[in-house]
Amino acid sequence: MIMHSTAVKSRDKYWIHTIIYFLLTFGFRYVPFDGISSFGMSILGVFIGLLYGWTFIGFIWPSMMSIFALGLCGFFKTPQDAFASAFSNHLVIFMLLVLVFTAFCEKSGINRKMSCWFLSRKCLVGRPWTFTLMVLIGSFVVSFLVDGNAVVFLVWNLLYSIFEETGYKKGERYPAFLCAGVAITAVLSFGCKPWCNVCILAIGALESSSRGALTLDYLTFMAVTIPLCLLFVVAYFLVMKYVFRPDVSKLMNLSDEYLESMRRELKLNSKEKIAAVALVVFMALMLIPNLMLGDAGALGMLGRFNFLSAVAVVLIALCVMRLEGRPVLDFDHCARDGIHWNVFWITAAAIPVSAAVSSDAAGITAWLASVMSSSLEGTSVVAFLILFSLIINVATQFTHNVSLVLIAVPIGYQVSQMLGLNPVALTVLVIIAAACAYATPAASTCAAIMFSNVEWIGVRNAFKAGSFAVLAGLVFLFVFGFPVIGMVYGFGM
C-alpha cells in the first residue's frame, strides 16, 4: 500500500511538472513586460521551460520539445529547421564522437592504470598528507584526460580497498572528505579542457553572441585555466588539512607491500598502449594548429585541424587498426555503452536555445546587460569582476553548470560591449565559475554523484566539503586568477 501511494505521488508530481513545463514554454509570451518584446518573451519562455524541464523532469524529451518550440515560436521558420540547426552544429557532432572516444578509453583499461599509478607511488608510504594530495591531483589529471564522471567511481573503488587495508570505516571524516575531494577535483577538470560539454557550450555561446567574431584559443585557454584549476585543488587540500583536520593516523598502516601489489598491475597491454597513444595524438592534433606558422603542405593541413577533426581522425584510425583480427575500436559497442544521451541532448538543445536567447531580435541579453550595467554604473573594474564572479558562482550552485553558461556567456558579452570589457576574458571567468559547481547536488553531475554517496560521504559532509571548497576557490580566484586572466587576455577591450 505504501509503495503504491509513493508511485501515485511520483506520477502526480511528474504530470504537474510536465504541465508547468508546457505553460512556461508556450505561455510565457502572454506575460506583459515592457523591457522585452512578445517575441523575446516567447524565446525566454522556451529557455526557462528548458531549465525547468532539466531540473524537475529529465533531459531528453524536454530538450527535444524545446528545439521543436523554437520552430513554432518563429525563431526558425519551421521545427524541421530548428532540428537541422541543432544537429548540424559542429559542437554537437563533436560531443557525440568524444563520448565514443572516452568510452573506448574506459573500456581499454587505461583509465584504471592511470589512476593506480598515482595511488601506488613508493613516496606515499608513511606520508598521509602526501598521499591525500596525490589522490586529489591524480583524480584531477585523469579526469582531465578522460571522462571525469567515470573517474569518480573508479578512484572511489580504489580508495575503498585502501581504506579497508588501513582500517578506515564508513562514516569517518577522512574517507568522507577525501572521497568528496575526488568528486570536486573531477568537476574542476571540466573547467580547463575545451572538449568538455561546459566549455563546448560556452565556446558556442560566445561564437553565437559575437556572430562568429570571437572564440577561445584552446592552447591559451588551457595555459591559463589548468594552473588555476590546480590551485583550486590545492585550496581544497589546504581546507581539508587545516580546517577539517581529519584523523590521518590510520594511513600510517599503508604498507609498501600493498602499493607494490598495485604497481605490479601497471604494465600496459596492447590495447591500453594504443589507448594511451590515442589520447596523446588527440590532444596534439587539437593543440598543434595553435602553433602552426605555415599554410602550405603538411603544416597547412595540420593548421586546419580543430577539436572535431582531431577526434574524428583518432576514431577513424582506431577503427582501421586491427588487434587479434578485430578492430581496436568496436564503435557499435562503445556507442551503445558510452554515449550518455542526457549529455548529448543537453548539448543539442542548449546551442540553438542559447543562440535564440542571445539574438538581437529577442533582446533578452541586451535588456539583462542594461539592467546589470546600470546597477553597477560607476563601479570599478575590479569590483565589477568580483561581483560578476560571485553572482555566477552562487548561481551555478542552484542551477546545473551547463544551464548557467547558456545565459551567463551572452550576458557577459553584452555587458562587456557596454562597459568596454573583453568578452573573452569574461567567458573564461564564467567557465571557471561553472567548474566550481559542487556546493549542492543541483550544481553539476559530479556534485550529484558526490551527494548520492551517503555511505562513505554523507549529505552533511558533502555540503561542508563543497561549500568550503567554493569559498577557498573564490579566494584563490581573486588573489591569483584575476591577475593571470588580466595579464593573458586583458579585461579591457
Side-chain angles (χ1 to χ4, degrees):
M1 181 66 69
I2 295 176
M3 292 181 63
H4 176 72
S5 177
T6 302
V8 170
K9 288 181 180 179
S10 178
R11 182 196 64 192
D12 292 344
K13 284 183 179 179
Y14 169 79
W15 286 113
I16 290 171
H17 288 314
T18 299
I19 291 170
I20 293 173
Y21 166 81
F22 280 104
L23 288 175
L24 290 171
T25 302
F26 296 104
F28 214 76
R29 66 178 301 171
Y30 301 108
V31 177
F33 190 76
D34 293 335
I36 302 175
S37 66
S38 175
F39 175 71
M41 293 297 284
S42 297
I43 299 296
L44 186 59
V46 174
F47 174 72
I48 294 175
L50 181 63
L51 298 189
Y52 186 89
W54 284 352
T55 304
F56 297 104
I57 300 173
F59 292 104
I60 295 181
W61 80 252
S63 296
M64 290 186 193
M65 192 67 236
S66 296
I67 297 173
F68 188 79
L70 287 178
L72 296 179
C73 74
F75 183 75
F76 293 100
K77 290 183 179 179
T78 64
Q80 292 92 319
D81 291 337
F83 280 100
S85 174
F87 292 110
S88 64
N89 190 287
H90 65 286
L91 297 174
V92 176
I93 300 171
F94 170 75
M95 177 55 66
L96 186 68
L97 296 181
V98 84
L99 287 172
V100 175
F101 181 53
T102 54
F104 165 75
C105 292
E106 174 67 24
K107 292 179 181 300
S108 72
I110 191 63
N111 297 6
R112 180 178 175 82
K113 293 294 175 69
M114 288 190 293
S115 300
C116 284
W117 187 93
F118 281 99
L119 270 62
S120 63
R121 299 301 87 202
K122 291 177 70 70
C123 63
L124 305 181
V125 177
R127 297 182 175 91
W129 288 112
T130 303
F131 172 82
T132 302
L133 183 60
M134 183 65 85
V135 170
L136 296 176
I137 291 178
S139 301
F140 175 85
V141 172
V142 181
S143 296
F144 174 83
L145 294 172
V146 289
D147 178 27
N149 297 316
V151 169
V152 172
F153 292 107
L154 176 61
V155 176
W156 279 354
N157 286 327
L158 293 173
L159 287 177
Y160 297 157
S161 299
I162 293 175
F163 295 151
E164 182 179 354
E165 173 71 15
T166 54
Y168 279 110
K169 305 296 183 184
K170 296 176 181 178
E172 292 191 59
R173 286 165 55 82
Y174 179 78
F177 290 126
L178 184 59
C179 287
V182 170
I184 288 169
T185 56
V187 182
L188 286 170
S189 74
F190 289 110
C192 52
K193 54 180 180 181
W195 57 89
C196 78
N197 59 342
V198 171
C199 291
I200 286 173
L201 294 179
I203 292 170
L206 178 62
E207 292 176 351
S208 296
S209 300
S210 65
R211 306 297 182 268
L214 298 174
T215 190
L216 285 176
D217 175 86
Y218 314 139
L219 189 61
T220 305
F221 173 76
M222 287 194 289
V224 170
T225 55
I226 289 176
L228 289 180
C229 289
L230 277 171
L231 278 177
F232 295 162
V233 174
V234 173
Y236 179 76
F237 168 78
L238 295 175
V239 166
M240 190 173 170
K241 183 175 182 180
Y242 296 108
V243 179
F244 298 155
R245 301 172 65 183
D247 177 17
V248 297
S249 61
K250 292 181 181 179
L251 277 178
M252 300 301 291
N253 299 327
L254 185 62
S255 65
D256 187 49
E257 289 76 13
Y258 182 81
L259 297 183
E260 176 62 29
S261 67
M262 295 177 66
R263 290 195 292 271
R264 284 196 295 267
E265 300 177 4
L266 291 180
K267 186 176 180 180
L268 302 181
N269 60 34
S270 299
K271 192 168 186 178
E272 291 164 348
K273 290 177 181 177
I274 293 172
V277 173
L279 272 172
V280 173
V281 171
F282 168 62
M283 287 193 292
L285 289 176
M286 282 188 54
L287 300 179
I288 284 175
N290 294 278
L291 304 174
M292 292 293 101
L293 300 177
D295 58 1
L299 290 179
M301 183 181 69
L302 287 173
R304 289 190 290 273
F305 269 78
N306 59 13
F307 47 69
L308 177 56
S309 304
V311 72
V313 166
V314 170
L315 290 180
I316 291 169
L318 291 172
C319 289
V320 170
M321 295 174 64
R322 290 294 187 270
L323 188 64
E324 299 177 352
R326 299 175 59 84
V328 172
L329 169 64
D330 185 338
F331 197 97
D332 289 341
H333 191 197
C334 289
R336 183 170 60 251
D337 298 337
I339 294 180
H340 305 290
W341 289 108
N342 286 343
V343 176
F344 174 74
W345 276 103
I346 285 172
T347 308
I351 290 176
V353 170
S354 177
V357 168
S358 61
S359 66
D360 292 337
I364 299 167
T365 55
W367 176 79
L368 289 170
S370 176
V371 171
M372 183 177 290
S373 59
S374 61
S375 301
L376 300 174
E377 188 175 0
T379 305
S380 67
V381 172
V382 174
F384 168 78
L385 293 174
I386 291 174
L387 287 172
F388 182 79
S389 300
L390 286 172
I391 291 170
I392 299 301
N393 196 283
V394 170
T396 196
Q397 309 308 327
F398 300 98
T399 181
H400 199 284
N401 56 355
V402 169
S403 307
L404 173 80
V405 298
L406 296 184
I407 190 68
V409 172
I411 289 175
Y413 178 81
Q414 294 288 347
V415 169
S416 67
Q417 299 300 106
M418 295 178 179
L419 301 181
L421 300 175
N422 184 355
V424 178
L426 289 187
T427 299
V428 173
L429 278 180
V430 170
I431 292 173
I432 291 175
C436 296
Y438 32 69
T440 72
S444 63
T445 303
C446 278
I449 293 171
M450 176 176 72
F451 278 86
S452 69
N453 190 344
V454 294
E455 289 189 338
W456 282 96
I457 301 176
V459 174
R460 182 177 179 182
N461 286 330
F463 273 117
K464 192 173 182 179
S467 300
F468 274 89
V470 167
L471 292 175
L474 284 172
V475 172
F476 274 59
L477 175 63
F478 298 152
V479 175
F480 301 106
F482 282 4
V484 171
I485 296 172
M487 180 177 62
V488 175
Y489 290 104
F491 286 111
M493 291 292 283

